[in-house]
């Protein structure tokens, strides 16, 4: 394998010389800037052998480098050894990002080859800006990789299916109209959709081209007189195709999208520079009057309607039942038979699969026993899995894609008698989780304003966690969804009624254990007063929180009441879905404290 | 007066015609972008008759307009009536700021006259940007106003005095060096100081050219080989002049600053575009290699050293004693004799004047009885003052400039038996004030992250307030000091140990009453753990909080303890400064709840 990599890099360099390129850049993104991508879009792995989910590659005649972040330092070092490819660290003090590195290392007036199809318009502009003073020319060079990568997996074109109007809560036509209204306010008449979840949401369609995300490879163009969906010709079943056509939706071949853009000549076309690739951006620039802005579909999609919220509540019951069954299985098996973190991940999927409307996991489960729990992004495999014993703490973060909604839940349970420190840490995390769950705030509030509610009790005890507190979650769509979030970083998008977020504070004691409690919640209206419109959250997730890890004296009366009320609701909602023994098990888990 | 204004506008228009100007703009700022300004810098009032503290003026041949904000809508309407000057509202929905209005109303290729000496470089650039597409030329035209304004008050040049090294806690030389280090990190070798409080802090000097702010009109240029202070020749006493010269500080005439900039030709000069006027900016642009950034002195000044903090604590004792005496005077007089809000403001100043090291009020006191308390920026005068009766609620916000520190304090007291709603509102405000006072947060936290601590309890009850929670405060300097603040708006500058902030949540019930409780606090280090460096606040202000307005059952045990501990400290610190009767009065005010 290492020799193959060396050979590939040599081939790329030879082609670069032929074309007079001083550097070649591989972004590792797909044409839609998706978080998860399919094999077709993994040239980074092909060229370097690195299998992590994030990394950028630069090849020059003298150097080859992979830029990645803290999660992958060990793995990259391992996978890149003996290939001559150097690892560059990102998100560390003094880190030099790719554009800056290129500006420092490329010759003045040099030529940089990039694949415009896998580079966002906004990223292209940051390259341009960084390289401007050196007068470096950025050259479209996707063919270089294509000439080297002979067995590149094809773009998947799996079958697309429809989400019923009752599940979606809104017709395609209504969504088209709302999107067009929004872009009209920005002076645009036509919009292109490039993010796969935007397209799936707008057309009430779902697919399975990408692991964990029920989306399909596609583009769309929408104006008042034309609705065009560009998708693999095999993907649409005939019945669905005719239904769409009857609604005036033209379906075209995925690859024809770029050609079709030429027909928008002179039009004011709205596009999102963060999810539109530069091959598209170049055509827009040359032919149209492009209007850049946050995708209108992204904005509308984030605010769930009542049918979507009802769907989430339904999915939560199914998901909660699977969680309770898994927790029961773990507590029964541990100490009796050899089980590992990997077995837990398998069991979670197994139980979820029995649930109504389950399609697939919503992300790769994170199962962290003891010290593995302290590795925030720990990806469990059969090989690296620790055996689970009747002691210590087990953290498991998982979720499902149900036809009525997407779930994301973390629970941390004691496998034996917990230490005082473990209980104290858990209770502080729980207090923060409750504080955010019960937050009341005026309209216009942003995530940065309320993030600290989840951290306050940790901070008071010299603790903290290094990740965000809450991300948006799609409705039977991506488990990470924009545009809003609850984080310490500033994000101009606010929290609005109908938005669904995770609420997941934690504490990670390196080499010892990790604690995280994650519920999902929907923003709802609380009241209107002369001082404004006030919002709050409704907790959606239904699954017991391990009271064996709670120090009751550390909770206020209100917090105890919240926990008891929550457990009562969990019991009432889930009992009907469980067999007698599991119901009894749940009764115990949800006893009042 | 109205006729005079009409005549002045006509004169300005005649001069504009002579010079071919389509519009003339008056910013209302001084050459240093100070918050408070002296009479010399009030051309806005001269040209329009408007006496408010904020407003911008545009004059064309057909129109004359004054742009101001909500605070002054009524006043401006009143003062501008029959002058032909139209009021334009700012900070309201659909407000059109001056640059946008000019872009919409000026002829293409037109000429806009401005006074470069009273326009910040950053403001100039926003004018430029707004008017670019219309190809409007911005022309230096300060002489127009000078030709009309014959009796313009001269620039004050009051006596400058030195702050002792022990009070300042750092020598001028050390400050020069730290400023030069900071700008060197930005690639600059010379720095110009333009903000008056920056100069006062850097040179350990104080003055009295501006009401409430102990600063003096000046500019400064600092590099490793030259320290130049530009100041009115009469302002520096001979002894001080010689002392400065002995330290290598060259003192020059205030007016020679602009000429001296020419000598910086070719140098990398650091300047702050928000406090540097465009007359300076133009010279820098033409002659030097300017480096724009937040003033290094502003950044360093915000972090108080231990001598400054000790000075603050001392000032707080003096100030607290004056407050207690005033509160006693109010409670004794009210119902016995006719007293008004104005009398209260006078009494506060009177008692403060008896305090050691008192120089002047730190801002115009805000005294709001009953419905006046709900007007956040109520400026009390002899004419508009309400009589105070033994009922209702009285809010008073005031502060002093002491040689050892600046104070800013608000107390709200019940003049009779308070209603349940008043008590509930007061207690919710108090809970927020305590929550922020006791906040613990990691290094790197910004004001936007913790602002909600002061609002949380209000929000939970459908209440809120429309102003920031905390502003920075200078050390015997401006009562409003940057760069950090505790507000809902994003501010990139964080909260660092040594910074001093106000903590002033409130509730304002229009037409009824206003409640605000304001303490000052210093950011201090709490602890270092493996999870980071954690900070908290030390409360500086020493003055009782009216427990007659507190509902004890609404306070947690921790909040009650905080209040009792605070009152115990107030009693211990202030008793020695009071006569026997006032001490007894204080004992009662600070009784445990």
């Amino acid at each position: 394998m290492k020799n193959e990599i060396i050979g590939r890099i040599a081939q790329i360099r030879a082609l670069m010389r032929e074309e007079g390129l001083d550097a070649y850049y591989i972004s590792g993104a797909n044409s839609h800037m998706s978080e998860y991508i399919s094999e077709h879009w993994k040239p980074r792995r092909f060229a370097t052998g690195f299998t992590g989910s994030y990394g950028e590659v630069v090849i020059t005649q003298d150097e080859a480098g992979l830029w990645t972040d803290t999660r992958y330092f060990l793995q990259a070092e391992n996978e890149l050894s003996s290939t001559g490819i150097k690892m560059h660290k990102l998100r560390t003090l003094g880190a030099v990002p790719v554009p800056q590195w290129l500006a420092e290392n490329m010759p003045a007036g040099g030529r940089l080859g990039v694949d415009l199809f896998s580079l966002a318009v906004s990223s292209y502009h940051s390259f341009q800006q960084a390289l401007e003073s050196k007068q470096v020319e950025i050259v479209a060079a996707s063919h270089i990789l294509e000439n080297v990568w002979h067995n590149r997996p094809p773009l998947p074109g799996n079958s697309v299916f429809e989400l019923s109007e009752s599940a979606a809560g809104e017709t395609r036509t209504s969504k088209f109209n709302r999107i067009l209204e929004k872009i009209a306010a920005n002076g645009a008449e036509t919009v292109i959709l490039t993010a796969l979840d935007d397209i799936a949401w707008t057309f009430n369609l779902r697919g399975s081209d990408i692991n964990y995300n029920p989306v399909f490879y596609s583009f769309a163009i929408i104006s008042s007189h034309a609705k065009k969906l560009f998708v693999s010709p095999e993907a649409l079943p005939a019945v669905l195709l005719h239904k769409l056509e009857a609604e005036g939706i033209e379906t075209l071949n995925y690859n024809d999208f770029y050609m079709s853009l030429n027909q928008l000549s002179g039009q004011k076309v709205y596009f999102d520079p963060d999810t539109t690739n530069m091959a598209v951006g170049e055509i827009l620039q040359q032919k149209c009057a492009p209007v850049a802005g946050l995708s209108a579909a992204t904005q509308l999609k984030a605010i769930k309607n009542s049918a979507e919220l009802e769907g989430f509540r339904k999915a939560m019951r199914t998901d909660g039942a699977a969680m309770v069954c898994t927790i029961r299985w773990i507590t029964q098996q541990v100490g009796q038979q050899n089980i590992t973190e990997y077995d837990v991940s398998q069991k979670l999927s197994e139980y979820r699969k029995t649930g109504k409307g389950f399609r697939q996991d919503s992300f790769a489960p994170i199962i962290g026993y003891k010290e593995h729990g302290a590795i925030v992004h720990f990806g469990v495999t059969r090989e690296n899995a620790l055996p689970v014993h009747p002691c210590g703490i087990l953290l498991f973060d998982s979720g499902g894609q149900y036809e009525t909604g997407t779930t994301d839940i973390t629970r941390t349970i004691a496998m034996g008698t917990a230490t005082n420190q473990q209980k104290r840490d858990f209770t502080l995390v729980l207090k923060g989780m409750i504080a955010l769950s019960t937050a009341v705030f005026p309209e216009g509030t942003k995530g940065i304003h309320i993030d600290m509610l989840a951290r306050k009790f940790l901070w008071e005890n010299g603790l903290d966690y290094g990740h965000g507190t809450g991300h948006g979650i799609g409705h039977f769509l991506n488990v990470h969804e924009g545009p809003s979030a609850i984080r310490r970083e500033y994000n101009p998008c606010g929290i609005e009624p109908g938005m669904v977020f995770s609420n997941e504070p934690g504490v990670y004691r390196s080499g010892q254990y990790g604690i995280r409690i994650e519920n999902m919640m929907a923003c709802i209206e609380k009241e209107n007063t002369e001082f404004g419109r006030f919002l709050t959250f409704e907790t959606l997730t239904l699954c017991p929180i391990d009271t064996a890890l709670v120090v009751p004296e550390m909770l206020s009366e209100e917090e105890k009441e919240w926990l008891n009320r929550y457990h009562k609701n969990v019991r009432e909602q889930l009992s009907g879905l469980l067999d007698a023994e599991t119901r009894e098990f749940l009764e115990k888990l949800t006893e009042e404290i």
Side-chain angles (χ1 to χ4, degrees), chain A residues 32 176 179 190-196 198-200 202-203 216-223 226-231 249-250 252-254 257 260-261 264 269-271 276 280 297:
Chain A
H32 309 270
F176 296 152
I179 289 172
T190 301
V191 60
I192 58 163
L193 299 182
T194 49
L196 300 184
D198 274 1
I199 300 169
T202 304
F203 286 84
F216 53 98
Y217 279 104
S218 52
F219 288 105
I221 300 176
I222 299 169
S223 67
K227 278 87 195 165
K228 295 182 182 180
L229 178 65
F230 300 82
V231 62
I249 296 166
E250 204 181 334
L252 298 102
N253 193 313
Y254 176 83
F257 174 63
S260 291
L261 289 174
L264 303 181
V269 180
Y270 193 88
F271 77 105
T276 302
V280 174

Side-chain angles (χ1 to χ4, degrees), chain A residues 370-550:
Chain A
K370 287 193 171 171
E371 66 266 31
H372 276 178
I375 305 170
V376 176
H377 290 275
F378 180 65
V380 68
T381 62
R382 202 187 289 273
E383 292 69 37
N384 67 13
L386 282 176
V388 180
H389 300 294
C391 62
I393 272 186
L394 177 68
L395 175 161
F396 43 114
D397 186 352
S398 64
Q401 289 290 2
Y402 298 87
E403 283 159 15
T404 63
T406 304
T407 70
D408 183 359
I409 175 171
T410 310
R411 287 295 180 266
T412 304
I413 59 176
M415 302 309 302
T417 308
T419 66
N420 286 340
Q421 185 191 260
Q422 288 167 342
K423 288 185 188 175
R424 204 173 130 271
D425 287 352
F426 186 91
T427 309
L428 293 171
V429 171
L430 176 62
K431 284 168 80 79
M433 210 277 293
I434 296 174
L436 185 56
S437 303
T438 55
V440 178
F441 47 90
E443 198 169 25
T445 294
K446 301 179 204 307
I448 191 173
H449 290 123
I450 57 171
D451 172 81
M452 74 99 58
L453 284 174
R455 301 180 193 266
K456 180 181 183 312
F457 303 99
L458 295 170
W459 289 351
E460 286 170 359
N461 289 278
L463 303 168
D464 199 5
Y465 52 94
H467 55 74
T469 301
H471 53 81
I473 296 164
H475 172 255
F476 185 24
L477 268 176
N478 297 0
V479 75
H480 296 149
E481 185 181 274
S484 300
I486 302 170
R487 304 180 63 89
R488 263 171 83 77
E489 292 80 12
Y490 180 73
N491 176 335
C493 301
I495 299 177
E496 295 179 52
M499 288 184 172
V500 171
F501 294 99
S502 70
N503 171 0
E504 46 180 315
V507 163
Y508 309 93
R509 292 202 184 259
S510 181
Q512 298 181 57
Y513 57 84
I515 289 168
R516 182 162 66 247
I517 310 174
E518 177 185 22
N519 272 354
M520 282 170 56
M521 52 190 196
C523 178
I524 56 172
E525 189 174 296
K526 188 193 172 227
E527 63 174 334
N528 275 287
T529 75
E530 57 173 308
F531 293 87
R533 183 180 178 219
F534 291 86
L535 312 177
T536 186
F537 294 113
E538 171 197 335
T539 293
L540 297 172
T541 301
L542 295 167
C543 178
I545 291 164
D546 191 357
T547 51
L549 282 165
V550 175

Side-chain angles (χ1 to χ4, degrees), chain A residues 103 112 329 405 428 460 475 560 577 591:
Chain A
L112 168 69
W329 177 85
L428 293 171
E460 286 170 359
H475 172 255
K560 265 186 226 167
L577 300 169
E591 267 172 12

Side-chain angles (χ1 to χ4, degrees), chain A residues 1 4-5 12 16 129 148 165 196 244 258 289 341-342 385-386 432 445 468 478 481 504 521 564 573:
Chain A
M1 184 65 189
E4 271 178 49
I5 298 296
I12 292 170
M16 285 168 61
Q129 220 175 353
V148 176
E165 255 176 53
L196 300 184
L244 293 175
Y258 296 90
E341 296 167 321
Y342 182 73
L386 282 176
T445 294
N478 297 0
E481 185 181 274
E504 46 180 315
M521 52 190 196
N564 288 332
Q573 301 270 340

